[in-house]
Amino acid sequence: MNEGRNDSRELFFSPQEEKDFQTVLKEVQEYISSKYSVLILDGGTEEVKTSIKRYISKYVMDYRIKVRDMDDTELIDTLYTEMAEFSFLTKYIFGSGIEEININSWKDIEVQYSGGKCCKLKERFESPEHAVNVIRRMLHVSGMVLDNASPAVLGHLSKNIRIAVLKTPLVDDDVGIAASIRIVNPQSLAKEDFVKGGTATEEELDFLSECLRYGISVCIAGATSSGKTTITGWLLGTIPDSKRIFTIENGSRELDLVREKDGAVCNSVIHAITRSSENEKQNIDQDALLDMALRFNPEIICVGEMRSHEAYTAQEAARTGHTVLTTIHSNSCESTYRRMCTLCKRKYDIKDETLMSLVTEAFPVIVFTKQLENKKRKVMEIMECETKRDGTLNFRTLFHYHIRENRMEGSRFIIRGEHEKVEGMSDGLKRRLLENGMPRDVLARFAGKEVAEC
């Protein structure tokens, strides 16, 4: 009699048949979403994450779930990572030294490291549907929805992580999803890092820093991933604590300029970001924030990126006494002015000649950055646009990166070159710097004996 009772207990408490992980994941997802969906939707805080893990653990234990080659702790941790985090991507997204994650398809993922190295991951999603579900969780952080009605989405994970996504039908069914996740850490480099890495020379960096400090508006141009935001963050970090900075960024914040000492904020910074809304009256774009910034009495305004009609307001601000630092997508220093004109026309239809006169007056210094084929980022050119008395424009290349060698060795790109100082700045720029308070000995570092002629 007792023997039969023991057999029953052993049968009742024995583990179920082992299942594959994806089957278990689907079961647990259905259980959590049916009873505790609010936890997934409100996920993010440590308290919520702890609760999700506790409910997963309860389900696994109650139903005696087993997965081959996983003990209970490993199974619960893996289920949690899949449901509350971002699957295998989590360790890359929040790891160190990674700049970009490119998802070409559900089974083709590449990671680009800060040193320029790019490699394919061995890990991949289980299916196109699995990839879509993980990316949807990422987009939920910024309140964005990825579905058939909105198959192309821009979002963010945190203040320095941006994500752009395409899903079917914009990509093939067997691809499932394509995404680019950019992790921007603009203040992670010191001047020595730029110089040692060959991005720019100390003289180039000092020149740009002093221009910004003494009232010369600067535009940093280049393609995506050319290093514009990184240089922008460093330049703003060189501004004295007493100068008031107002930054405007689109959708997510990448700049982090607030400095503290002994627990107290020691500089003066306001960070603002745009807000998108289907209701046009509730939509706050860069142009609206730029107009608001002028009422905060800033000494330096940073427009994260000129991408539309805010370019007109930015050049207006730069021509009315404010120092403006901004970035723009362009393919050279000189073409940057033409691109500015194109963007300004989205607000007002003004003659090209008039707009060119306005933008060159507003931004006398342009910096062109580029990511070379070997993934190294370079300041390719620093140009001044001098407006002569007769109204003609003189484009002066102050600094230039000259490529001496560019060849392939196996699968590696071998690129060698050097930064060169080409021309001196114009007398007009020197006078503006002196009028804005730059000491003559500081100006002499860049202009030499020519300072005496100003």
Side-chain angles (χ1 to χ4, degrees), residues 19-61:
K19 300 181 178 181
D20 67 90
F21 178 77
Q22 289 303 310
T23 300
V24 173
L25 175 61
K26 185 176 180 181
E27 288 180 9
V28 176
Q29 283 176 327
E30 291 175 353
Y31 168 76
I32 296 292
S33 60
S34 65
K35 295 184 178 295
Y36 310 104
S37 59
V38 68
L39 291 173
I40 299 296
L41 294 177
D42 295 338
T45 68
E46 289 304 318
E47 182 179 355
V48 168
K49 289 180 179 180
T50 300
S51 297
I52 293 174
K53 202 165 190 176
R54 184 168 65 248
Y55 291 129
I56 292 174
S57 178
K58 182 179 185 302
Y59 185 87
V60 169
M61 297 304 176

Side-chain angles (χ1 to χ4, degrees), residues 19 21 116 143 182 188 208 212 223 308 320 374 393 410:
K19 300 181 178 181
F21 178 77
R182 295 191 61 212
S188 60
L208 295 174
L212 197 61
S308 189
T320 54
N374 59 1
L393 303 177

Side-chain angles (χ1 to χ4, degrees), residues 40-41 82-86 89 103 125 128-151 153 155-157 163 165-169 176-179 181:
I40 299 296
L41 294 177
E82 282 291 338
M83 293 182 62
E85 294 183 350
F86 311 122
L89 292 180
I103 302 170
F125 297 104
E129 294 75 20
H130 180 209
V132 171
N133 288 335
V134 171
I135 298 301
R136 277 180 174 151
R137 288 202 297 274
M138 292 184 189
L139 293 171
H140 177 75
V141 174
S142 54
M144 306 302 291
V145 175
L146 182 70
D147 55 22
N148 289 337
S150 302
V153 176
H156 62 274
L157 293 179
I163 177 169
V165 183
L166 297 173
K167 71 173 287 294
T168 54
I177 202 162
I181 304 169

Side-chain angles (χ1 to χ4, degrees), residues 118-365:
C118 187
C119 65
K120 297 272 191 183
L121 296 184
K122 292 181 179 179
E123 298 112 317
R124 65 183 198 174
F125 297 104
E126 297 293 332
S127 65
E129 294 75 20
H130 180 209
V132 171
N133 288 335
V134 171
I135 298 301
R136 277 180 174 151
R137 288 202 297 274
M138 292 184 189
L139 293 171
H140 177 75
V141 174
S142 54
M144 306 302 291
V145 175
L146 182 70
D147 55 22
N148 289 337
S150 302
V153 176
L154 296 173
H156 62 274
L157 293 179
S158 66
K159 64 185 179 183
N160 68 325
I161 301 177
R162 294 184 295 186
I163 177 169
V165 183
L166 297 173
K167 71 173 287 294
T168 54
L170 302 183
V171 293
D172 293 336
D173 290 339
D174 59 349
V175 169
I177 202 162
S180 174
I181 304 169
R182 295 191 61 212
I183 301 107
V184 182
N185 296 292
Q187 286 192 292
S188 60
L189 297 178
K191 179 167 69 173
E192 293 74 20
D193 297 316
F194 286 111
V195 175
K196 185 178 179 181
T199 299
T201 65
E202 185 173 1
E203 183 179 10
E204 289 173 334
L205 294 170
D206 287 344
F207 170 74
L208 295 174
S209 176
E210 298 293 351
C211 278
L212 197 61
R213 177 179 174 181
Y214 291 106
I216 305 301
S217 293
V218 176
C219 179
I220 302 175
T224 302
S225 294
S226 61
K228 300 187 299 295
T229 306
T230 305
I231 293 177
T232 297
W234 178 82
L235 282 173
L236 291 172
T238 67
I239 299 302
D241 291 345
S242 59
K243 286 185 176 288
R244 188 167 172 81
I245 301 172
F246 195 111
T247 73
I248 299 168
E249 296 181 83
N250 196 56
S252 61
R253 184 157 70 85
E254 299 170 357
L255 299 170
D256 190 5
L257 304 175
V258 177
R259 292 194 286 264
E260 294 187 14
K261 186 176 182 180
D262 299 326
V265 176
C266 56
N267 61 346
S268 182
V269 178
I270 296 175
H271 287 300
I273 59 174
T274 60
R275 184 187 71 180
S276 299
S277 174
E278 293 181 358
N279 185 337
E280 188 175 343
K281 293 182 178 179
Q282 296 179 353
N283 189 59
I284 308 296
D285 60 13
Q286 288 191 115
D287 200 22
L289 287 176
L290 187 50
D291 185 58
M292 183 65 74
L294 299 177
R295 289 156 173 77
F296 278 76
N297 193 29
E299 290 165 282
I300 295 176
I301 300 172
C302 174
V303 181
E305 181 185 329
M306 284 186 180
R307 57 173 59 192
S308 189
H309 49 73
E310 68 275 350
Y312 185 85
T313 310
Q315 65 82 24
E316 282 287 286
R319 293 192 307 111
T320 54
H322 296 86
T323 305
V324 178
L325 175 64
T326 187
T327 71
I328 193 170
H329 284 100
S330 181
N331 59 12
S332 72
C333 281
E334 190 170 338
S335 67
T336 295
Y337 290 116
R338 292 191 292 274
R339 172 126 171 90
M340 283 185 190
C341 292
T342 301
L343 296 179
C344 287
K345 279 197 166 190
R346 295 184 181 181
K347 188 164 188 176
Y348 297 117
D349 188 11
I350 300 175
K351 290 183 178 180
D352 290 346
E353 296 80 5
T354 303
L355 283 176
M356 181 62 77
S357 176
L358 296 179
V359 297
T360 51
E361 178 188 343
F363 296 98
V365 175

